[in-house]
Each structure stands twice: as C-alpha cells, then as structure tokens.
Amino acid sequence: MSEQNNQRFLLVSVIITALIIGFLIGGTFVYHTNNELEQYQAVVFNTISKTATVIDNIEFNTLTNIEIDIEAGQYGAYFNENNNKLYLIHDGQSELLILNPQSLDIESRVRVGPNLQHAGIFDKTGEIFFLVSRDSNSLVMINTTTDRIISRIEVQEQPHHVALLKDSVAVTNTESQSISIVDIIRMDVKNNIKIDANPVMITSDGESKMFVGAVKPSKIFFIDNNEVKISIRLESDPHGIALTLDKKNLIVTLPDEDKVLVIDMKGTIIKELKTGSFPHNIDIDPNGKYGYISNSNGASVSIMDLTNFEIVATIETGNGSHNVQFYNIMNSNTQINTAKDGGKIISANFNCGG
Amino acid sequence: MEERKVNDEDMKEIEQSAVIIDMEGEVCPYPQIIAREEIKKIDSGKIVVIQTDHVMATKAVPQSVSNDVSEYGIWKSGSGQYKIILWKK
Amino acid sequence: MFEYNNIFSLVATLLIGLGFGILLQKGRFCFTSALRDFIAFKDTRVLNGVIIGIVTMMLGTSLAYIFGVSSSNFWVSNYGLSNIIGGFVFGIGMVYGGGCASGTLYRAGEGYIHYWLVLISACVGYILFAALFPGFFLPYFFVPLQIFDGYSLIASLELLAPVVPIVLIATSIIYLRSKNKLIINQTIQSIKISNISSESLKAEWDTKLVGLGMGILATLWFVVWGTLSVTGPQAKWTGLIYSEIVGLETLQQNVYWNNVVFPDGIFSISLDMILFVSLILGAFISAYLSGDFKIRVIKRSRIPNAVIGGLVMGFGSRMAPGCNISNTFSGLAFLSVAGFITSLGLLLGVYVATHWMFRKSGCAI
C-alpha cells in the first residue's frame, strides 16, 4: 500500500468509526428521551387456586403460573423493591408472611395482631409497611428491613385500609364511619374525619387529597385537607379504588355490577366499562400505563389502558384473582432483572459469555 | 529480507564481531520496539545478535526491522533461548 | 459442584481445550499481535490466521445451527456505547500488558511469569469491578448505555445462515486469485505428510492452518457448549476462589457475582471453566514438547506493564462485556452487532496504545 492508499484507508476507517460512535451516542440520547418505560411483569395472586399468574406487561402473554404453599382465603400480596421481599397478609389471620419473591416460598412469619385486614401499603421510601389489625383497632407499622413492628397506633373501630399522605397516613375505620389521620412521626392520631357511610378502601395523591370508597350507603368521598369536598352516590358498593399516576382520574370497581368506573376530579363519572366477574381490586403498573383489574369470580384479570380507558385484554388467571404486584419474578436470561438494591441489570445475555 | 539458516558453528563466528543486544526477560511488544530503535543506531553492514527468551520475538523482531535489514537468522537453543541475527543493510 | 451433561461432553471439553492450547502455542496466535503488528509494521502473519479462523467458525457454526444446535448456544449481547468504551479499554490493556486474553493464557502455559502476573491482575480487576458494579457501573454505565437489543445475523438467518460465510469465502478466493495473492501452495506443502517431520512440528506452525484449526475446534465447542470465551470462565474461577477466601455469602450479596457471573446464583464449576484450564495445559504440553517451555522470570521494569495491563484488561473485559475471543472471534463469527462494536472499540484501543508505545520508532499505519 502506498502512502496515499494508506491515508485513504485511515480516512475511511475514521469516518466509519465516527459514524458508528455517532449512531451509538445518538441512539442513547434518543432512547432516553423517548423511552423511559421500564419492563416489569404483572404478578396476579390467585387466592383460591393458590397460584400466581405472571403476565408480561407489553404483549400481555401469560408467562407462567407458580404455586404458593398457603391455605386458600383472601390475601393481599405486596412487593418491596428495596429488600426484594414479598409480604403476604392472609385476611383474618394474625401473621404477616414474608415470601421469596421469585420462588414464592414462605421464608418467615411475623406475628402482628388479631384479624389482620389484607390490604397494606408501603411508605414512599419502602422502609415502612402499614397494615391494620381489625380486632385490636390498630394501625401497625413494620420496619421492612428487619420485619419487626415499629409501633402500633390505636385508631377507631374495625380499621380497614391505609393511604399515604404527606407526613401522615389515613386509616378508614369502617364501624366508626370515620377516617383517622395518623401522624407517623409522633405516632398518634391527629384527627378523625367523620363521614356518613362506612369507609372501606382508600387511596390518595400522596399529599393532601384522599379518595374513600364507602358502603351503607354506596358512596365515594373526595376529601381534601381533611374536609369532605365531594360525595358521589353509586349504584352499588365500590371496592377497588386507584388514582391514575397523572392524578387526573379515579378508577373504582363495582364488584356486584361487574363494572369499573372512571371518575374525574370534579366527581363526574366519565366512563363505565364492563369487566369480568366480581372485579375486586385495581392495581396500576409503575409506569402508569395500565390498570389491572382482578376479577375474583371470573378467574381472570382485565387490563385497562389508562390513556384511553379501554379494556385492551382479559387474561385468564387462577381462581380468586385478588391483587396484582409489578416486579420481575422471572430470573431468566432474557428478562430484565431487579437487583437487590433496586437497580436494573440488563442481564439479557449480559452474562459472562464474554 | 531473506532468512539465512544458522547453525551452532555459524553462531560462534557471528558472535565474535556482532553487536549483542540482550533482551532476555522482555515480552511483547518490547522486543520489537527495542529492536526497531536499536537497529537505527547501528552502522550499515554490521551484524546484530539479539538474545531473547521470548518465543514470539523470533517472528516479530525480523518483521519489525524488515526495512533496515537484508537478511535475518534464528538460532534456537532448544530450551527456550533464542538468538536473532540481523544483517543490517 | 461439577456441571456437565454427560461424560462425553466432559471428555470433549478436555480435548477441545487441549487442542486450543496446542494451536495457540504453536501458531503464536495472539490477537494483540495480529492487530498491533499490522498497525506497527503491516505484518499480517497472525491477522490472516485470525480472519481464516473467524470465517471457518462462521461456516462451521452456521452449519451446526442448521443441523439442530440450539440457538441459545449463540451469545448475542445487548449493545450500546458501553461496548465501544469497554472494547477500547480492553484494547489498551492488551497492548500494554503484552497479550490478549487468549495470548496471555497460552504464554502462561509456556512458563512466562509476566503473563501469570497479567492473569492474576486481571482477576483482581474482576473483583474490583464486581465491587464497583452495584454502585457505579450498573446505574451509570450499563443502564444508560447498553440499550440496543442484541442481534446476530447468523442466528437470525436460521436455515440460510451458511450462505453468508460461503459468499465471503467465495468472494475472497476470487479477489485473491485476481490479485495473484492466493498462496495456498506453500500451505498445502506444509501439510503433506512427507513434509512433516519432528523438526517442522517443533517449529512454528503456519497461522493460516492454525486459524483453520481454531475455527473447527470453535465449531465443536459451539456444539458442546456454545460461545467461545476466555474471560468468562476466568471470571468464574476468580469468583469461586474468591468465595473460598471471603465466604460464599459475600459473593451472593453482590449482584455482579450472583446474577451475572454465576447466573441464577449457582456457584459451581462449569464446562467452560474446564476448557479454560485444559487450554493452559495444552499450551504447556505443546511448549514443553517443542522446546519452548522455560520459566521466564519477569523483568522488574516490566512489572507495571503486567499489573496495569492486567487490571485494565480485567475492567475492559467486564465493561464491554467480553474479551477479544468472545467478541472478535466468536462475535464476528456470529455476525453479532455487539461483537462488531466491541471489536471496533478494541481496534481503536490497540491503535492508540500501539502508537503510544511505538512513539519513538513510528508505525506503519
């Protein structure tokens, strides 16, 4: 090769290299401005068939069904991303079960209090888990690293559900027809908000707005800054309640009517959708794209697109589908795995093949 | 650059007048680097003997100096010692 | 502890490993030399062998693939900017350290203390990398940069896969013929039984033949196990030995050891680790029988080369991920995009490091 050819060769290779690097940089930039979606799997807990159905949240394929070795009954499952743990609360029991999230084996149990209600919630950092013990009328706070009880705070009668607010939590007291606002730093009840129905499930915007589903009579309450702002009469008892991630709409399930309602922030029911049989709970995925409605008597889950509020898929699950958690339960080579510290490993063939 | 066969007899003769460079213990890419640098300092027509125990040097060194060398030879001791003889142009 | 399907695959692994070791040693087959000597003096001796090896492996594995080998035996890594950076780092390390991943292995078998030091430093590099992985490399390097889905042309072509290598071989034969550069006569002469003597066996072997042999062995390995890799099993051995020192729990807590090096947290000796060991053994046997074996003590002034080169290679091979064998050899043979990009980074790293090391005497390219 002559000197000239040499230079030409070098020039061409530099250009090609620059193009490839440019493509990679460009791709990185484009990818990150457009595509912030994370990939999780939807794990549906089927309380009667005692299995968990794993569904991928892009194509909605059922990936697998895993058996859970506990008695049948209502239970709620809650995944803690920080410590890679799965909490299971068996309704009516007094223990909190801690499961391995991948194998669903029971690793340990913690005694909490009599007649636990199976709906719990993590605080914003995931370090505290809140649940209620009905017979002892208390809100229980659990340290999620040690699985030990931090404190028990007495609320009012037959507490049912918990929602997070700024520096406090709201607890629905079904029998007392009230909502207790509990200061979690001082660990005492700040005040109780009275309503004219029996509150059951509650959700919030994490700040000052609460949305309560109540029965006898069937109503939804919008509470802001501890005052009831809107109260909506419903045709039948609501159960599942969730606020969309953009905080603009409330989704409520009416199990007896096999329906789900979409309510705007003014309290107007803007849409009604048919679901499977007895839609019990609604869980929204972490990306805020889809709401998964567990149809407990229909052994299925209805998946609702939250951009246009349409049911886009109905997937068969086991019997008694109760609630859905979002995490990567499958540890295979082609999935994105959640690491113990909450980061994501792109382990798709990132394995030591190199 | 041509290869010339070298046996033990030739070695003794060559070593009497050649410039000896000891590169024992050097590994890639130093044999080639040092050979290239040193060969430029040698007068024309002289013989250079590089002592090395690096296996690859027997091929890499002649290649690295091919522009400055008319002939080269490789002598192996049979136990990991090599001498590379370079006839500078 | 041992993981293998049957005694057949274990024996095959040992033999393939020995074969690789022998071929590498006899051909002085080092990728660093292939690239560096080409850049520095336009010496294509080893580069020719590498190219022949890659194409042979491409042909062999594509044929094996259409005859039923599972597509999971391909290694098709996700890729992105991280590959170029990792390859670049590895390229620098391999020139400064004096050998690539495979070159280091066979020269360790030849008795070079220098290369034992490089190996150990690379293993230390792995341990350091694993420690830095959860806090730094995962969130700031891999998650933002390794974003494109892996793709291998050979794997995706399925039944049509052998077409690509056949076309490549045909076009190169035609091209070389036209330029009169097809020097197969000499090569054919050397494999004629009458020309093989104990002397010619002890001497260096033609790299083109060695490349061919490597491609064939790599195909066999593809059938038995999958992709050919050196730093992968090296990392696994490091992990196992490290776990003996600090305890298995320490490694199980670390996301890199537990999920990436040992996928699914199974810490055991796998076939590729056996290949790794038998490769070094094969190189040793070959060196000993050829009179090339000698315990070569490292020169004091070159200790930094070995240590730093090894550490840098250790990091680079984890960042890419992969080394020259898995990316340049297997990766190009599979026509995997990740392999191309990493090899490009590697080439850049070799180019920069070569120019720096040869700064006084200059390079050809």
Side-chain angles (χ1 to χ4, degrees):
Chain A
M1 264 204 274
S2 65
E3 187 62 37
Q4 211 189 16
N5 274 347
N6 226 359
Q7 286 184 336
R8 216 179 286 168
F9 171 73
L10 209 52
L11 190 62
V12 170
S13 28
V14 167
I15 291 177
I16 294 177
T17 311
L19 283 174
I20 294 179
I21 298 183
F23 164 75
L24 291 173
I25 297 177
T28 311
F29 181 69
V30 166
Y31 179 84
H32 281 285
T33 48
N34 285 354
N35 209 353
E36 290 292 345
L37 286 186
E38 298 149 355
Q39 234 189 316
Y40 290 83
Q41 290 135 18
V43 187
V44 185
F45 289 87
N46 310 305
T47 57
I48 297 177
S49 64
K50 298 181 284 176
T51 56
T53 308
V54 183
I55 304 173
D56 91 276
N57 75 334
I58 309 283
E59 310 262 308
F60 305 126
N61 293 322
T62 305
L63 297 173
T64 186
N65 281 290
I66 306 175
E67 289 208 10
I68 314 175
D69 185 21
I70 69 172
E71 300 127 40
Q74 273 203 82
Y75 53 81
Y78 300 94
F79 177 65
N80 183 319
E81 208 177 304
N82 283 12
N83 310 4
N84 200 35
K85 277 186 202 165
L86 191 64
Y87 286 151
L88 217 70
I89 316 171
H90 207 153
D91 194 279
Q93 306 278 345
S94 50
E95 286 177 329
L96 176 70
L97 299 167
I98 296 136
L99 272 60
N100 174 312
Q102 268 75 37
S103 63
L104 303 184
D105 292 325
I106 300 176
E107 289 182 343
S108 60
R109 299 159 194 268
V110 178
R111 217 181 169 287
V112 177
N115 197 0
L116 294 177
Q117 208 290 110
H118 60 285
I121 192 167
F122 289 102
D123 78 334
K124 292 192 181 82
T125 61
E127 283 167 22
I128 307 177
F129 186 62
F130 297 95
L131 65 162
V132 291
S133 153
R134 281 179 283 217
D135 286 356
S136 65
N137 293 341
S138 47
L139 169 73
V140 184
M141 290 168 60
I142 308 249
N143 173 322
T144 59
T145 311
T146 61
D147 301 327
R148 292 273 165 271
I149 299 174
I150 303 174
S151 74
R152 280 178 237 272
I153 303 162
E154 208 179 300
V155 289
Q156 297 194 323
E157 283 171 47
Q158 290 289 304
H160 196 96
H161 199 200
V162 187
L164 295 176
L165 298 169
K166 205 171 192 305
D167 299 332
S168 56
V169 294
V171 183
T172 51
N173 305 305
T174 311
E175 282 308 309
S176 312
Q177 296 197 335
S178 65
I179 293 122
S180 298
I181 309 295
V182 182
D183 183 327
I184 50 175
I185 302 178
R186 290 169 35 168
M187 304 218 208
D188 60 6
V189 177
K190 280 203 289 203
N191 61 336
N192 294 299
I193 305 168
K194 265 311 235 137
I195 56 171
D196 56 350
N198 292 15
V200 182
M201 298 295 276
I202 181 171
T203 188
S204 69
D205 68 350
E207 299 289 317
S208 63
K209 288 203 186 119
M210 294 173 254
F211 306 90
V212 179
V215 302
K216 297 192 202 141
S218 314
K219 271 188 176 183
I220 299 282
F221 294 90
F222 282 30
I223 303 175
D224 197 352
N225 281 319
N226 301 336
E227 273 179 37
V228 176
K229 301 286 189 213
I230 305 171
S231 120
I232 309 161
R233 225 32 191 86
L234 298 174
E235 55 185 304
S236 83
D237 287 345
H239 190 92
I241 189 165
L243 188 66
T244 56
L245 249 63
D246 61 7
K247 303 188 185 175
K248 291 189 186 155
N249 291 287
L250 189 71
I251 323 274
V252 176
T253 68
L254 302 181
D256 293 320
E257 307 292 318
D258 296 346
K259 263 197 229 173
V260 77
L261 306 174
V262 183
I263 306 175
D264 71 9
M265 289 297 106
K266 296 204 193 89
T268 318
I269 301 175
I270 58 173
K271 210 162 183 186
E272 281 183 25
L273 289 164
K274 257 314 206 166
T275 61
S277 175
F278 209 83
H280 197 99
N281 280 317
I282 167 153
D283 294 286
I284 298 183
D285 76 19
N287 296 328
K289 268 198 96 192
Y290 296 103
Y292 289 68
I293 300 149
S294 310
N295 306 309
S296 344
N297 287 355
S300 67
V301 80
S302 299
I303 303 176
M304 182 158 97
D305 184 329
L306 298 175
T307 48
N308 57 9
F309 300 122
E310 295 289 350
I311 306 277
V312 292
T314 306
I315 312 285
E316 256 182 55
T317 60
N319 242 329
S321 49
H322 190 257
N323 79 329
V324 183
Q325 289 290 283
F326 302 93
Y327 64 97
N328 291 295
I329 186 172
M330 319 251 337
N331 216 341
S332 86
N333 263 348
T334 52
Q335 301 293 341
I336 301 176
N337 285 314
T338 312
K340 276 186 87 162
D341 62 352
K344 270 170 278 295
I345 314 173
I346 303 173
S347 94
N349 295 300
F350 173 94
N351 69 22
C352 255
Chain B
M1 186 177 66
E2 300 260 309
E3 182 175 1
R4 192 200 280 195
K5 287 266 178 243
V6 179
N7 59 26
D8 295 340
E9 311 267 294
D10 301 326
M11 269 324 293
K12 290 204 190 100
E13 200 191 302
I14 289 167
E15 278 179 326
Q16 282 173 353
S17 60
V19 177
I20 316 261
I21 303 178
D22 184 10
M23 288 222 256
E24 180 142 340
E26 292 286 14
V27 296
C28 284
Y30 289 100
Q32 304 97 299
I33 293 177
I34 297 174
R36 255 163 98 94
E37 289 173 12
E38 294 299 313
I39 202 81
K40 295 198 194 299
K41 300 178 193 166
I42 307 288
D43 298 329
S44 183
K46 283 250 173 191
I47 307 174
V48 177
V49 171
I50 296 179
Q51 294 173 323
T52 176
D53 58 351
H54 185 50
V55 182
M56 266 193 104
T58 56
K59 275 286 166 163
V61 166
Q63 263 308 113
S64 72
V65 297
S66 58
N67 288 337
D68 297 314
V69 158
S70 55
E71 282 182 306
Y72 75 95
I74 311 281
W75 178 85
K76 298 189 187 186
S77 73
S79 56
Q81 289 288 117
Y82 315 97
K83 296 190 200 215
I84 305 169
I85 309 100
L86 303 168
W87 279 267
K88 174 122 194 217
K89 273 185 190 164
Chain C
M1 256 299 232
F2 264 152
E3 299 247 328
Y4 55 90
N5 290 336
N6 50 47
I7 196 75
F8 168 73
S9 49
L10 183 61
V11 172
T13 305
L14 286 167
L15 291 176
I16 296 175
L18 287 173
F20 270 127
I22 296 171
L23 284 176
L24 285 174
Q25 198 275 329
K26 286 257 61 105
R28 326 280 189 237
F29 210 79
C30 175
F31 283 64
T32 317
S33 143
L35 298 171
R36 178 197 63 211
D37 295 345
F38 178 66
I39 293 172
F41 340 105
K42 297 239 195 94
D43 179 7
T44 56
R45 183 185 67 94
V46 189
L47 190 59
N48 287 340
V50 169
I51 294 175
I52 291 178
I54 293 175
V55 177
T56 310
M57 184 184 177
M58 199 190 294
L59 183 60
T61 48
S62 54
L63 286 172
Y65 183 42
I66 62 176
F67 281 116
V69 174
S70 155
S71 67
S72 65
N73 283 22
F74 287 106
W75 181 60
V76 187
S77 163
N78 282 356
Y79 63 94
L81 211 49
S82 51
N83 294 62
I84 286 229
I85 298 174
F88 185 80
V89 170
F90 188 79
I92 303 258
M94 91 183 189
V95 173
Y96 193 62
C100 60
S102 46
T104 305
L105 282 189
Y106 92 74
R107 273 175 273 207
E110 283 181 332
Y112 285 83
I113 306 255
H114 178 110
Y115 291 100
W116 280 105
L117 193 55
V118 171
L119 272 179
I120 295 170
S121 305
C123 294
V124 172
Y126 297 150
I127 296 176
L128 288 174
F129 180 86
L132 292 171
F133 181 78
F136 176 72
F137 282 103
L138 177 60
Y140 300 115
F141 185 73
F142 289 112
V143 171
L145 299 179
Q146 195 190 50
I147 51 176
F148 297 102
D149 284 331
Y151 180 75
S152 149
L153 185 61
I154 296 284
S156 55
L157 281 178
E158 295 189 12
L159 288 178
L160 287 177
V163 172
V164 181
I166 291 173
V167 165
L168 277 174
I169 295 172
T171 42
S172 32
I173 290 179
I174 296 172
Y175 173 74
L176 289 173
R177 265 260 178 85
S178 71
K179 295 242 173 163
N180 254 334
K181 276 192 186 174
L182 201 59
I183 5 165
I184 36 172
N185 286 334
Q186 214 178 12
T187 320
I188 295 179
Q189 287 285 355
S190 63
I191 47 176
K192 270 202 177 139
I193 307 286
S194 53
N195 278 344
I196 297 181
S197 61
S198 83
E199 195 198 288
S200 66
L201 277 179
K202 278 193 185 179
E204 197 178 300
W205 292 1
D206 189 333
T207 49
K208 296 192 268 297
L209 287 176
V210 168
L212 187 70
M214 298 232 352
I216 295 173
L217 282 181
T219 305
L220 289 174
W221 182 241
F222 176 71
V223 174
V224 170
W225 170 264
T227 192
L228 184 61
S229 161
V230 163
T231 49
Q234 189 178 344
K236 287 186 189 175
W237 276 117
T238 308
L240 274 189
I241 296 172
Y242 189 53
S243 73
E244 294 294 313
I245 303 172
V246 297
L248 194 59
E249 291 80 43
T250 316
L251 267 72
Q252 284 173 324
Q253 307 281 2
N254 178 294
V255 126
Y256 194 69
W257 291 117
N258 201 44
N259 289 47
V260 181
V261 178
F262 293 100
D264 302 329
I266 301 173
F267 286 74
S268 63
I269 298 179
S270 46
L271 281 179
D272 56 345
M273 294 163 79
I274 299 173
L275 184 88
F276 182 83
V277 173
S278 58
L279 198 153
I280 302 180
L281 197 63
F284 165 70
I285 294 172
S286 166
Y288 187 74
L289 292 176
S290 314
D292 291 327
F293 182 81
K294 176 179 173 254
I295 303 279
R296 296 161 171 87
V297 179
I298 185 173
K299 253 187 135 166
R300 199 167 283 169
S301 56
R302 303 298 173 209
I303 291 183
N305 288 55
V307 173
I308 296 176
L311 277 172
V312 172
M313 276 211 277
F315 268 87
S317 67
R318 297 300 92 211
M319 285 161 75
C323 61
N324 54 292
I325 292 286
S326 44
N327 283 299
T328 312
F329 201 71
S330 300
L332 291 183
F334 295 154
L335 290 173
S336 138
V337 183
F340 269 104
I341 299 199
T342 311
S343 302
L344 185 62
L346 205 141
L347 193 59
L348 287 174
V350 171
Y351 187 81
V352 168
T354 304
H355 271 264
W356 183 75
M357 286 190 94
F358 281 76
R359 58 191 178 282
K360 289 198 194 128
S361 48
C363 295
I365 299 181

